[in-house]
Amino acid sequence: GISNFISLFFQKIMKGGTLFLGIREAKFLYQNDISLDPFIRVTVDSQKHQTKTVLNAGKNPFWKDTLKFKISKTQASNPDKVSVFFEAFNQPSETSELLLGQSIHALSKIVNKGQHSVTLNMTDKKNKAIGSLQVDMEYM
């Protein structure tokens, strides 16, 4: 029943766990066809992981990368205070990266939902819409 669900929910939160983020697809809103070599970097507190760079991806790159983050007991018990920070970069050369856009998602929106897909709106540093990012999310 519902009390069993609530009990399992609190056990999951109190232990901490693993956050799985499947980076799937971006859609950039650029007017002209531009050559992009994008990758996505995700930061959760001090942990940073990133996808592979997709060469010559254009405005609609696809990934099959799943990024894993360890979530501590403290983070899991205060999920409103933990942000999952997504950044899209263009990597025109091995030594340079140019920020395309970013999005922030609260951990609290993920821990309570099980496995789900989210389309995040991405904005540039001036808060102008630059596109979207599709992410499969699961907290276990």
Side-chain angles (χ1 to χ4, degrees):
I2 191 80
S3 63
N4 192 28
F5 169 78
I6 290 169
S7 168
L8 288 170
F9 171 72
F10 280 108
Q11 284 174 9
K12 188 189 260 190
I13 283 185
M14 296 317 286
K15 287 196 311 225
T18 304
L19 174 62
F20 296 91
L21 299 174
I23 309 300
R24 296 297 167 245
E25 176 185 7
K27 291 184 178 169
F28 296 112
L29 301 174
Y30 297 109
Q31 296 302 321
N32 16 1
D33 283 333
I34 57 172
S35 173
L36 288 177
D37 299 331
F39 69 90
I40 305 297
R41 179 178 296 144
V42 183
T43 306
V44 179
D45 286 346
S46 62
Q47 299 175 73
K48 283 184 189 209
H49 298 297
Q50 68 188 45
T51 65
K52 295 180 187 80
T53 299
V54 182
L55 300 176
N56 301 313
K59 295 188 280 191
N60 292 60
F62 287 87
W63 292 270
K64 290 182 179 174
D65 301 43
T66 298
L67 309 178
K68 288 174 25 176
F69 295 86
K70 287 283 177 221
I71 303 300
S72 70
K73 272 192 224 178
T74 308
Q75 290 169 318
S77 57
N78 293 296
D80 285 331
K81 294 190 167 86
V82 180
S83 291
V84 183
F85 191 55
F86 296 84
E87 296 171 293
F89 288 92
N90 187 30
Q91 187 169 26
S93 74
E94 280 187 36
T95 54
S96 70
E97 50 185 52
L98 170 74
L99 181 66
L100 297 170
Q102 56 200 17
S103 184
I104 299 173
H105 200 70
L107 183 63
S108 59
K109 291 181 180 175
I110 303 169
V111 293
N112 309 337
K113 276 197 165 175
Q115 188 173 4
H116 63 290
S117 238
V118 174
T119 300
L120 301 169
N121 291 319
M122 300 201 80
T123 57
D124 64 14
K125 286 183 176 176
K126 296 177 181 159
N127 218 22
K128 181 175 171 250
I130 62 110
S132 62
L133 178 67
Q134 186 185 345
V135 184
D136 296 336
M137 302 181 172
E138 186 170 18
Y139 177 74
M140 296 175 70

